[in-house]
């Protein structure tokens, strides 16, 4: 529990009205006033039309929208926030609702949802600057297609790219398959446009590669999960579009061998290595059960598999490089296939993507998203699997991950038909076991999914007092009345 004297950084007259969360007459009047200043179809208030904004893609996290505002411009976002600030209406921004920690779902007691789904424009794109400016509601896949059309690459890549929105990618500092080569979303942002909790607009939309004028304010909002401001547009860094992509799936005797192969791949392929994904045999079997049309990928089963991808442009002989690398690793690579075409490479990726989509068999399961030093990945997986299997032999732990950045997704699937109370007990116990191993290795309980509401308790148990104090002061400086995404990351009533 966090204790201490409550101390806001702004003066009392700047803090706005006292907040409540029930739809009181005051709030009903405020929502009516908001409707009066927005275009006719920009505000939804009917229960049926608001229903899809009250839950995320998992279905595990459900809340109550008081109203759903759907702005088309940054000016409309500013108007919405100014009205909510003055009326004391709490707000949560939404993108594609593909997050996994409940950050964008309205609170059960009710919040105004600001959906960015109508702000989808690519404002400008320059193949000379290798940069693009895109609005926050643009679906990631559409932004990637716009970059591709000018022979450029926006490298953020993961399974949800067909439905997630780029503002959410920035607000959660999304990771994905290509972090090994291109970094997290944070590393790809050149500038931002942000609406602050009081409705002011901060315009930091620059495409400069060098700008050393004091504080880098955009970094405050990247990974902040909508708690400090609403990102409305992003200037992204682009890269030359690869003209060659080589994909291989190999089988190995152990995770330790997979890590040895990674170390060799980093040296042999250097910066051309874009993905290095670890899948254990359990994960392959999940895929085979879900997709009977997919054959077992190699001639016989192996304890560990690695999906390797490299990409390049120009005159590099990438095929020869991959063949040479894999041929030189025949002392640890038991079997493998090097895709002969882009289509075959995409088919190899199905073994990984299908596993992720089908692991829960359509039901609930525990998702953890941790990181440890790369050198400790094998030890982490072995210790965490042993701990969960020993205490919960009825459950199926499933470990896989982005080896090149130390990120392991360690999930736990309950037995079929387990009652909800027993399932909650299982999830709580298994998470504690997994996080205990992470702590002992000096890792992080969230590598790329964020904190939101779901991981808040575990986060607050582990954060050091100075970091918590700085984070709380920052929140209260920008949002002293706590109207924006309150209760995400930090507790609902943060104190300093």
């Amino acid at each position: 529990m966090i204790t201490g004297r409550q101390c806001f950084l702004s003066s009392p007259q700047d803090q706005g009205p006292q907040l409540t969360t029930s739809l009181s007459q005051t709030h009903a009047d405020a929502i009516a006033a908001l409707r009066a200043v927005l275009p006719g179809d920009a505000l939804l208030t009917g229960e049926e039309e608001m229903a899809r904004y009250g839950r995320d893609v998992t279905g595990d996290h459900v809340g109550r929208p008081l109203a759903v505002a759907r702005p088309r411009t940054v000016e409309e976002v500013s108007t919405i926030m100014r009205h909510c600030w003055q009326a004391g209406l709490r707000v949560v921004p939404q993108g594609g609702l593909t997050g996994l920690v409940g950050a964008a779902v309205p609170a059960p007691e009710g919040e105004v949802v600001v959906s960015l789904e109508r702000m989808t424009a690519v404002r400008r794109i320059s193949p000379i600057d290798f940069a693009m400016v895109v609005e926050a509601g643009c679906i990631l896949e559409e932004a990637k297609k716009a970059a591709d059309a000018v022979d450029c690459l926006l490298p953020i890549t993961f399974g949800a790219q067909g439905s997630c929105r780029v503002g959410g990618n920035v607000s959660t500092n999304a990771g994905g398959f290509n972090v090994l080569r291109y970094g997290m979303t944070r590393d790809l942002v050149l500038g931002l446009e942000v609406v602050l909790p009081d409705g002011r607009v901060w315009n930091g939309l620059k495409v400069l590669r060098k700008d050393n004028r004091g504080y880098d304010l955009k970094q405050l909002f990247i990974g902040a999960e909508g708690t400090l401001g609403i990102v409305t547009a992003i200037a992204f860094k682009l890269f030359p579009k690869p003209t060659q992509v080589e994909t291989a799936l190999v089988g190995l005797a152990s995770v330790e061998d997979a890590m040895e192969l990674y170390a060799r791949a980093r040296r042999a392929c250097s910066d051309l290595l874009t993905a290095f994904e670890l899948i254990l045999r359990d994960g392959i079997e999940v895929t085979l059960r879900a997709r009977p049309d997919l054959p077992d990928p190699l001639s016989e089963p192996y304890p560990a598999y690695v999906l390797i991808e490299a990409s390049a442009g120009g005159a590099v002989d990438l095929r020869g490089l991959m063949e040479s690398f894999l041929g030189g690793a025949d002392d640890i690579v038991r079997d493998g296939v090097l895709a002969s075409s882009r289509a075959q490479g995409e088919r190899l990726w199905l073994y990984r993507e299908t596993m992720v989509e089908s692991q829960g068999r359509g039901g609930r399961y525990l998702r953890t998203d941790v990181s440890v030093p790369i050198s400790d990945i094998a030890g982490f997986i072995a210790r965490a699997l042993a701990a969960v299997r020993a205490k919960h032999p009825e459950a199926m732990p499933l470990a896989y991950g982005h080896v090149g950045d130390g990120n392991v997704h360690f999930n736990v699937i309950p037995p079929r038909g387990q009652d909800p109370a027993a399932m909650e007990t299982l999830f709580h116990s298994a998470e504690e076991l997994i996080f205990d191993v992470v702590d002992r290795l000096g890792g992080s309980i969230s590598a790329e999914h964020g904190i939101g509401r779901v991981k808040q308790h575990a986060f607050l148990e582990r954060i050091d007092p100075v970091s918590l104090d700085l984070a709380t002061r920052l929140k209260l400086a920008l949002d002293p009345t706590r109207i924006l995404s309150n209760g995400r990351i930090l507790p609902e009533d943060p104190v300093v």
Side-chain angles (χ1 to χ4, degrees):
M1 177 179 294
I2 302 164
T3 60
R5 182 174 60 86
Q6 192 168 24
C7 176
F8 297 110
L9 296 188
S10 52
S11 61
Q13 62 266 29
D14 291 334
Q15 291 177 21
Q18 181 64 38
L19 292 165
T20 61
T21 51
S22 62
L23 190 56
S24 63
Q25 186 59 48
T26 300
H27 282 176
D29 291 344
I31 290 172
L34 188 57
R35 182 182 294 281
V37 297
L38 293 175
D41 61 348
L43 193 70
L44 306 179
T45 54
E47 292 295 328
E48 188 173 333
E49 61 187 357
M50 293 193 300
R52 70 181 179 91
Y53 301 90
R55 62 177 62 239
D56 64 11
V57 69
T58 70
D60 294 345
H61 313 122
V62 181
R64 177 185 171 223
L66 297 178
V68 178
R70 301 181 298 163
R72 292 186 183 276
T73 66
V74 64
E75 291 80 14
E76 289 181 6
V77 179
S78 176
T79 296
I80 292 163
M81 290 309 302
R82 187 170 62 252
H83 274 69
C84 290
W85 172 271
Q86 293 168 352
L89 284 171
R90 282 187 169 160
V91 173
V92 59
Q94 269 185 14
L97 280 171
T98 59
L100 298 174
V101 293
V105 176
E109 61 271 20
E111 290 175 313
V112 173
V113 170
V114 177
S115 171
L116 282 299
E117 63 188 354
R118 290 179 163 186
M119 295 185 63
T120 61
V122 176
R123 293 186 185 174
R124 62 183 184 273
I125 184 166
S126 171
I128 296 177
D129 288 318
F130 281 96
M132 68 188 303
V133 175
V134 59
E135 291 182 341
C138 185
I139 290 174
L140 173 58
E141 193 165 69
E142 296 305 312
K144 290 169 69 71
K145 288 178 181 177
D148 185 77
V150 294
D151 214 28
C152 290
L153 172 72
L154 176 60
I156 308 169
T157 303
F158 41 78
Q161 65 187 28
S163 52
C164 68
R165 299 178 187 272
V166 295
N169 301 153
V170 170
S171 295
T172 59
N173 187 30
F177 303 136
N178 292 338
V179 171
L180 168 61
R181 179 166 175 178
Y182 298 104
M184 298 282 280
T185 297
R186 182 183 303 278
D187 300 297
L188 303 173
V189 175
L190 295 171
L192 293 176
E193 175 186 83
V194 180
V195 176
L196 301 176
D198 60 6
R200 290 179 297 160
V201 178
W202 175 65
N203 187 350
L205 275 180
K206 298 183 288 288
V207 297
L208 299 175
R209 301 302 175 111
K210 287 186 173 182
D211 185 1
N212 208 17
R213 295 174 292 178
Y215 304 123
D216 188 2
L217 296 177
K218 69 177 183 291
Q219 297 295 342
L220 296 178
F221 304 100
I222 304 172
E225 300 183 43
T227 60
L228 302 180
I230 300 179
V231 174
T232 51
I234 307 102
F236 278 122
K237 184 188 302 183
L238 303 179
F239 295 83
K241 179 182 172 181
T243 58
Q244 305 175 63
V245 177
E246 297 291 344
T247 307
L249 181 67
V250 302
L252 304 112
S254 66
V255 177
E256 287 79 5
D257 282 352
M259 299 313 301
E260 170 63 23
L261 186 67
Y262 165 73
R264 297 186 193 184
R266 284 288 283 158
R267 289 176 172 82
C269 302
S270 189
D271 289 339
L272 301 181
L273 190 65
T274 52
F276 198 96
E277 297 289 310
L278 173 69
I279 310 170
L280 302 189
R281 179 62 196 180
D282 284 348
I284 294 292
E285 290 178 357
V286 166
T287 292
L288 297 179
R289 285 194 295 269
R291 288 286 303 268
D293 59 310
L294 286 176
D296 212 320
L298 302 177
S299 58
E300 61 182 86
Y302 293 95
Y305 298 77
V306 169
L307 188 62
I308 308 168
E309 191 160 276
S311 60
V316 174
D317 179 12
L318 188 63
R319 182 80 180 186
L321 179 65
M322 283 287 281
E323 289 174 343
S324 174
F325 158 63
L326 292 172
D330 60 358
D331 57 323
I332 55 174
V333 172
R334 299 297 182 89
D335 193 8
V337 56
L338 179 60
S340 59
S341 66
R342 185 70 64 90
Q344 189 180 8
E346 291 172 354
R347 190 168 177 83
L348 292 179
W349 274 99
L350 285 177
Y351 289 93
R352 205 271 189 199
E353 294 168 0
T354 303
M355 173 194 65
V356 174
E357 294 166 1
S358 58
Q359 61 188 299
R361 310 187 197 98
R364 294 187 63 204
Y365 61 96
L366 174 68
R367 300 174 178 88
T368 73
D369 159 54
V370 304
S371 63
V372 296
I374 297 172
S375 58
D376 286 324
I377 286 178
F380 164 74
I381 290 176
R383 290 159 69 179
L385 284 174
V388 173
R389 286 169 176 164
K391 189 166 183 179
H392 299 287
E394 78 282 6
M396 184 178 83
L398 194 65
Y400 57 95
H402 315 303
V403 166
D405 52 38
N407 180 191
V408 178
H409 298 290
F410 195 108
N411 300 339
V412 179
I413 302 168
R416 288 183 183 273
Q418 187 173 56
D419 69 82
M423 192 182 298
E424 288 300 329
T425 300
L426 165 64
F427 290 171
H428 179 72
S429 172
E431 185 177 74
E432 285 192 334
L433 293 170
I434 296 162
F435 286 176
D436 179 62
V437 179
V438 170
D439 290 342
R440 282 184 277 141
L441 293 173
S444 167
I445 63 166
S446 178
E448 60 182 359
H449 291 168
I451 300 300
R453 293 182 180 275
V454 174
K455 303 298 181 188
Q456 185 191 80
H457 178 72
F459 168 72
L460 293 175
E461 281 187 329
R462 289 163 173 80
I463 190 171
D464 68 272
V466 175
S467 295
L468 179 60
D469 178 65
L470 292 174
T472 300
R473 289 178 181 273
L474 179 60
K475 168 66 174 174
L476 295 178
L478 293 179
D479 186 14
T481 57
R482 306 186 305 279
I483 74 161
L484 189 57
S485 294
N486 192 43
R488 284 78 169 177
I489 304 179
L490 297 175
E492 290 204 2
D493 296 306
V495 293
V496 291

